């Protein structure tokens, strides 16, 4: 089978690999489509992020969907021919965080296409993958695999929404409309938010934000003072989702969040100074949000049922042989939201 291997910054190669052996409890999937994620782009552009660095070649990718081609002994929940979306996160099930229902903090987590461990965990941009049956979530037989492959990033947004608490009737600000910010708009709407404002510094993502139901989408590069009215009378937002990864975003969020409000940080970027005085005096809760857990199955179900429509976020699907072009397009935030590889 063919796989997309990253050797270093802007060095992607399509290589032949053996299909792993199918053991008891395993499922073999013919992968058809895979979304390029922000983390894939970090490896592509910089060879990693923060202290996480590529130390050896690694198959990229973790947002994939395809068809089951074989199942190992004892597998009953999935059958050959089923369409599935693959959960890229495999927790050990036995460490103290797994036992405390926090498997996204597993001490021995294996996440596809991640250089956090050594040796790195290979990813899913490959024609065939063998996963545990618990990782293969069945979707309806005719459902579009490209939309299904949004389950992973949508799970990230649903987890962030869960970290924010009940969104019913809430006023929400989303900072940064990349794929995760856009999916936070959909998650907040699904969660019953009353009003959703999105900000970004580019016109293209803001058009997408309006198209998927943001009540207002403001360009803070063209209008640096666009949020000022929302800072009046101690702030306007019950919840702020920070999905830009920019250092300045916390300083943007605190003046406009209401006293007692919640700021959920999802974006990973540089370290940021914390404006402690305003945080204390407004009694703001700052909560980190990292990956997901139960939300993966929920994300797959909401997408496959049509309750949440992710189709407007898919910019283009590009063949594996043109992977570098696909990554360059995905890195162009003005013109691309989500780019997927056809495998
Ligand atoms: Zn992702
Ligand atoms: Zn664990």
């Amino acid at each position: 089978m063919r796989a997309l291997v990253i050797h270093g910054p802007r060095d992607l190669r399509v290589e032949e690999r053996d299909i792993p052996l199918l053991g008891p409890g395993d499922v073999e999937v013919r992968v058809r489509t895979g979304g390029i994620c922000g983390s894939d782009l970090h490896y592509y552009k910089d060879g990693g992020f923060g202290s996480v660095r590529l130390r050896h070649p690694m198959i990229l990718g973790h947002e994939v969907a395809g068809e089951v081609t074989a199942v190992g002994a004892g597998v009953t929940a999935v059958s050959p021919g089923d369409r599935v979306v693959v959960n890229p996160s495999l927790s050990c099930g036995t460490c103290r965080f797994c036992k405390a229902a926090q498997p996204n903090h597993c001490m021995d987590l294996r996440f596809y296409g991640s250089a956090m461990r050594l040796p790195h965990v290979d990813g899913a941009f490959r024609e065939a993958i063998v996963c545990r049956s618990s990782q293969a979530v069945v979707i309806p037989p005719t459902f579009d695999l490209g939309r299904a492959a949004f389950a992973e990033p949508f799970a990230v947004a649903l987890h962030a929404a869960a970290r924010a608490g009940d969104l019913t009737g809430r006023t929400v600000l989303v900072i940064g409309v990349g794929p995760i910010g856009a999916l936070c708009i959909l998650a907040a709407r699904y969660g019953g938010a009353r009003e959703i404002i999105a900000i970004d510094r580019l016109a293209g993502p803001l058009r997408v934000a309006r198209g998927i139901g943001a009540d207002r989408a403001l360009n803070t590069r063209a209008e640096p003072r666009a949020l000022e009215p929302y800072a009046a009378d101690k702030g306007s937002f019950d919840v702020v989702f920070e999905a830009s990864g920019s250092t300045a975003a916390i300083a943007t969020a605190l003046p406009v969040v209401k006293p007692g409000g919640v700021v959920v940080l999802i974006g990973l970027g540089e370290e940021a100074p914390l404006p402690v005085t305003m945080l204390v005096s407004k009694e703001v809760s700052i909560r980190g949000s990292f990956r997901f857990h139960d939300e993966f199955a929920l994300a797959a179900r909401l997408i496959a049922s049509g309750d949440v429509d992710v189709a407007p976020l898919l910019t283009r699907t590009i063949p594996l042989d043109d992977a570098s072009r696909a990554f360059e397009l995905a890195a162009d935030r003005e013109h691309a939201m989500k780019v997927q590889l056809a495998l």
Side-chain angles (χ1 to χ4, degrees), residues 37 39 62-63 152-153 338:
C37 183
S39 63
H62 61 263
E63 302 179 0
E152 192 272 342
K338 179 64 76 181

Side-chain angles (χ1 to χ4, degrees), residues 252-284:
T252 303
L254 286 178
V256 296
V257 70
K258 285 181 191 168
V262 178
V263 178
V264 180
L265 304 180
I266 316 155
L268 279 172
E270 324 98 81
E271 299 304 318
L274 209 51
V276 174
T277 306
M278 204 184 300
L279 198 159
V280 170
S281 60
K282 289 177 84 171
E283 299 190 314
V284 171

